[in-house]
Amino acid sequence: MKIAIHHRVGSYSDLWIEYCKKHKIQHKIVDAYANDILEQVADCDAFMWHFHHHIYQDNLFAKQLIYVIEKRMGKITYPNFDTCWHFDDKIGQRYLLKAINAPLAPTYIFYTRAEALKWILHATFPKVFKLRSGSSSENVRLVKSAAEAKKLTKQAFSKGFENNGYFRRIYDRWERLKKGTCTFRWFLKSFITNNYNFDTFHKEEKRYVYFQDFIPNNDFDIRVLVIGNRAIAKKRINRINDFRASGSFYNIFDEKQIDLKYIKISFEINKKLKMQSVAFDFLHDSNGMPILTEISYCSGIKNYKNYSGYWTSDLQWHQCKIPDFCNFIIEDVIAQIKSR
Ligand SMILES: Nc1ncnc2c1ncn2[C@@H]1O[C@H](COP(=O)(O)OP(=O)(O)O)[C@@H](O)[C@H]1O
Ligand SMILES: [Mg+2]
């Protein structure tokens, strides 16, 4: 058995490599960016790459490369194509989640200004406006009126929207600093354009507009990360005086605060999605039923040490010191290789 790993410091690969060394798993560090990447992985059973939506160049070709290595070369990949084709793409997710009858908040996407305006005429407000990509609520806003929705539509079909704009990030962190939900250091860091030139290169988002029903009375969201047969979960409290939880950095890791219905439905939905790993972001409706806002194949790596255990799909809780989900991922890849 031999596993090819694309290494990026600070990503899941740190832990995958550590795992391979500890368990004496034969592995090879490969460079996804190299011209000969296909030759590099040819003698391996699996290819693993934790690609990131904020790295502009990853997004140029990660999904395409994974498709080829998995579907044409017959290798096991992490993520595989089912797991990642809709990553950081709320438009793709909307069609996918609707097709499998997952409880996605009702979502409306228009590709012409006329269709959007026709819909706005009869829509009720507030609604939530989103760009197809982005994280930490950076591209999510509340639309309080039809007038506001029309303005956003006009912009969508003219100059478009900056994706993860530099000034918007500074403004967002300034607002959070004032409310005491971000540190001064984190605020200062917003002035530094990230290493990956995301702000510099990313094209503006335009010629579509995405609205979602606003799900009221949610002071938090629940993020459940399913990896194979295990799930870990946290509660994320909204920013102060804000409807948005994602990116608030106010996380609760106490498993007693997670209603099992979120765990149960996560395993059920993933039976249809067949993703190797999937993070679900849930709100709840007026009857307390889980409502999805988005999915992604990976979840932040920094705070995994705060979890005190995980659930298995029989809904049993397993207390453990560090439920290291990166280990779960590579364990599943190894199991897949062995079962071939
Ligand atoms: N339809 C909605 N109704 C109410 N709140 C929402 C809705 N969609 C998202 N939110 C809030 O906004 C946050 C960010 O939305 P999300 O779609 O998860 O985008 P991101 O990719 O930025 O995390 C969520 O954590 C949730 O608190
Ligand atoms: Mg989210």
Side-chain angles (χ1 to χ4, degrees), residues 53 88 90 105-107 127-128 130-142 210 212-216 218-223 236 238-239 242-247 281-283 291-295:
H53 63 290
D88 199 34
K90 291 184 175 73
T107 300
K127 287 276 187 283
V128 177
K130 299 183 184 182
L131 297 183
R132 76 185 306 171
S133 58
S135 58
S136 300
S137 303
E138 63 203 353
N139 294 324
V140 174
R141 38 179 130 166
L142 197 62
Y210 178 121
Q212 201 166 61
D213 280 354
F214 173 67
I215 312 298
N218 281 269
D219 302 331
F220 57 84
D221 77 355
I222 301 283
R223 167 159 283 204
R236 304 184 299 187
N238 290 1
R239 294 161 164 80
D242 197 314
F243 74 105
R244 299 168 308 166
S246 169
D281 289 352
F282 287 111
L283 301 173
I291 299 284
L292 260 177
T293 65
E294 65 151 345
I295 55 174

Side-chain angles (χ1 to χ4, degrees), residues 132-244:
R132 76 185 306 171
S133 58
S135 58
S136 300
S137 303
E138 63 203 353
N139 294 324
V140 174
R141 38 179 130 166
L142 197 62
V143 187
K144 292 194 183 120
S145 64
E148 236 179 282
K150 280 184 197 161
K151 205 169 151 205
L152 288 165
T153 300
K154 187 176 171 200
Q155 186 171 342
F157 291 96
S158 51
K159 70 174 175 158
F161 298 90
E162 252 183 82
N163 189 328
N164 187 23
Y166 179 66
F167 293 109
R168 193 142 39 81
R169 188 170 60 223
I170 294 172
Y171 177 76
D172 187 49
R173 290 199 195 165
W174 168 241
E175 287 292 308
R176 279 156 59 180
L177 185 68
K178 282 198 297 187
K179 290 172 183 167
T181 57
C182 107
T183 61
F184 189 63
R185 189 161 172 260
W186 187 243
F187 166 69
L188 282 183
K189 272 183 110 173
S190 64
F191 288 89
I192 308 165
T193 307
N194 70 40
N195 299 336
Y196 310 120
N197 292 318
F198 183 88
D199 295 319
T200 321
F201 292 126
H202 210 285
K203 289 191 217 85
E204 71 279 11
E205 295 279 325
K206 52 167 42 174
R207 305 216 70 79
Y208 71 89
V209 64
Y210 178 121
F211 294 107
Q212 201 166 61
D213 280 354
F214 173 67
I215 312 298
N217 306 319
N218 281 269
D219 302 331
F220 57 84
D221 77 355
I222 301 283
R223 167 159 283 204
V224 182
L225 175 62
V226 173
I227 310 114
N229 188 35
R230 319 104 174 143
I232 53 178
K234 62 180 173 182
K235 187 187 243 186
R236 304 184 299 187
I237 309 295
N238 290 1
R239 294 161 164 80
I240 297 164
N241 297 328
D242 197 314
F243 74 105
R244 299 168 308 166

